[in-house]
Amino acid sequence: MSIKENLQSIQNDIPERVTLVAVSKTKPVEMLMEAYETGIRDFGENKIQEMSAKWESMPKNVRWHMIGHVQTNKVKDMAEFVHLVHGVDSKKLLLEIDKQAKKFGRKINCLLQIHIAKEETKFGLDDNELDEILNDGDVLNLQNVEIIGLMGMATFTENQAVVKSEFKHLKKLFEQHKIKNPKFTVLSMGMSGDYPLAINCGSNMIRVGSSIFGTR
Ligand SMILES: *Cc1c(COP(=O)(O)O)cnc(C)c1O
C-alpha cells in the first residue's frame, strides 16, 4: 500500500480528537512530502540533527515533534522550531529547554515521559519523580516551557493485558494531574502496534511510523 492509502486507513480508524503524529525517522524528505500532501502536518523524529535538516527543507507550517531521548547539549539546535518535546525526563532538561526557548522568545511545549513498561528501558520518570518535578519550585517558575501532558511507551509484547494495564496506569496519572493543572491536555501513547488499544485507554495523541512509511 502507498503512504497515502496507509494514512487514509489509519485516519478512518481513529476518532477526530486524536492527533496523528507521523513518525518519519530515517525516512527521506520525499516520503514525508507524500504524507504532507495528504494533509499531515505533525511529524515525529527521534534525532535532533535529522529533524533539523528536515525542518530546513520542508514547508514551514509543519509541526515538529521530538519523540526521542533528548541530550541537553542538543536542545539549542531545535529550540527555534520544535513544536512539542515528548521525551522530557529530568528537571535539568526542562531548565535547558527553558533557557534555549528564551533566546528565541518562544514558549516550548513539553510532555513528561513516564516509565510505564515492565522492561528495563533507560528513560522515563516513575510516579514519585513525576510528582517531584511537577511540584518543584524552579520548574513551576519557568516562563519559556509549558508542560502540557504525559508520554509513555508500553512494553513490547504480544500480551494485550500487560499493554492495557500500562496504558490505563498512564491515563490515570494523566487524569490525576489534569485536575490540578488545566494546561494538561495531551496524552501521547500508542504506536503502530498498539495505537487502537491506546486510544481505547484514553490516548489523544498517537505516534505512528511503520504503519505509514513501512518498516525501517
Ligand atoms: C519510532 C517511535 C515510534 C513509532 O514506532 P512505530 O512502531 O514505527 O509506529 C513511536 N514512538 C517513539 C518514541 C518512537 O521512537
Side-chain angles (χ1 to χ4, degrees), residues 123-153:
F123 307 120
L125 306 163
D126 65 30
D127 300 13
N128 291 330
E129 292 167 330
L130 172 64
D131 272 333
E132 248 169 59
I133 285 201
L134 289 174
N135 293 309
D136 184 285
D138 298 332
V139 170
L140 288 168
N141 274 326
L142 297 179
Q143 297 300 307
N144 295 76
V145 299
E146 197 81 79
I147 300 171
I148 63 164
L150 304 178
M151 180 271 221
M153 281 198 273

Side-chain angles (χ1 to χ4, degrees), residues 11-213:
Q11 269 157 339
N12 285 337
D13 230 34
I14 67 177
E16 217 161 316
R17 64 176 177 79
V18 176
T19 302
L20 171 62
V21 178
V23 174
S24 48
K25 62 193 186 198
T26 77
K27 301 296 179 183
V29 165
E30 299 77 67
M31 289 178 79
L32 278 69
M33 282 309 296
E34 257 185 83
Y36 181 88
E37 270 145 27
T38 76
I40 292 289
R41 294 295 177 268
D42 293 277
F43 288 88
E45 292 283 335
N46 69 341
K47 294 206 166 66
I48 291 175
Q49 198 177 358
E50 183 178 345
M51 180 170 74
S52 174
K54 287 172 173 171
W55 166 66
E56 300 266 1
S57 49
M58 294 272 293
K60 287 297 168 280
N61 62 351
V62 167
R63 294 182 288 268
W64 292 100
H65 296 248
M66 182 62 215
I67 62 170
H69 188 251
V70 179
Q71 282 171 275
T72 316
N73 63 343
K74 302 263 175 65
V75 171
K76 59 181 185 326
D77 300 326
M78 65 172 177
E80 185 178 354
F81 67 91
V82 70
H83 172 70
L84 179 61
V85 184
H86 290 234
V88 178
D89 65 352
S90 72
K91 172 177 171 179
K92 182 172 161 236
L93 184 54
L94 277 173
L95 297 183
E96 177 65 13
I97 295 171
D98 183 73
K99 179 178 156 194
Q100 298 300 333
K102 200 166 282 151
K103 292 186 181 166
F104 294 97
R106 300 188 65 213
K107 191 166 234 182
I108 296 180
N109 289 327
C110 296
L111 305 178
L112 295 175
Q113 181 169 354
I114 311 300
H115 184 213
I116 54 172
K118 302 281 176 293
E119 56 208 358
E120 260 315 306
T121 57
K122 278 174 288 184
F123 307 120
L125 306 163
D126 65 30
D127 300 13
N128 291 330
E129 292 167 330
L130 172 64
D131 272 333
E132 248 169 59
I133 285 201
L134 289 174
N135 293 309
D136 184 285
D138 298 332
V139 170
L140 288 168
N141 274 326
L142 297 179
Q143 297 300 307
N144 295 76
V145 299
E146 197 81 79
I147 300 171
I148 63 164
L150 304 178
M151 180 271 221
M153 281 198 273
T155 304
F156 187 71
T157 171
E158 295 292 316
N159 188 336
Q160 295 294 292
V162 169
V163 176
K164 187 173 177 177
S165 79
E166 292 169 359
F167 283 154
K168 290 240 163 182
H169 175 66
L170 186 55
K171 164 74 168 167
K172 194 174 118 201
L173 281 180
F174 175 71
E175 290 302 330
Q176 280 169 359
H177 290 285
K178 194 178 156 74
I179 292 170
K180 293 171 258 172
N181 184 351
K183 295 270 164 57
F184 252 60
T185 50
V186 177
L187 179 55
S188 168
M189 60 182 195
M191 332 199 329
S192 292
D194 56 20
Y195 74 81
L197 182 53
I199 292 171
N200 273 329
C201 295
S203 167
N204 61 17
M205 186 174 279
I206 58 175
R207 311 173 308 271
V208 179
S210 41
S211 292
I212 298 172
F213 297 108

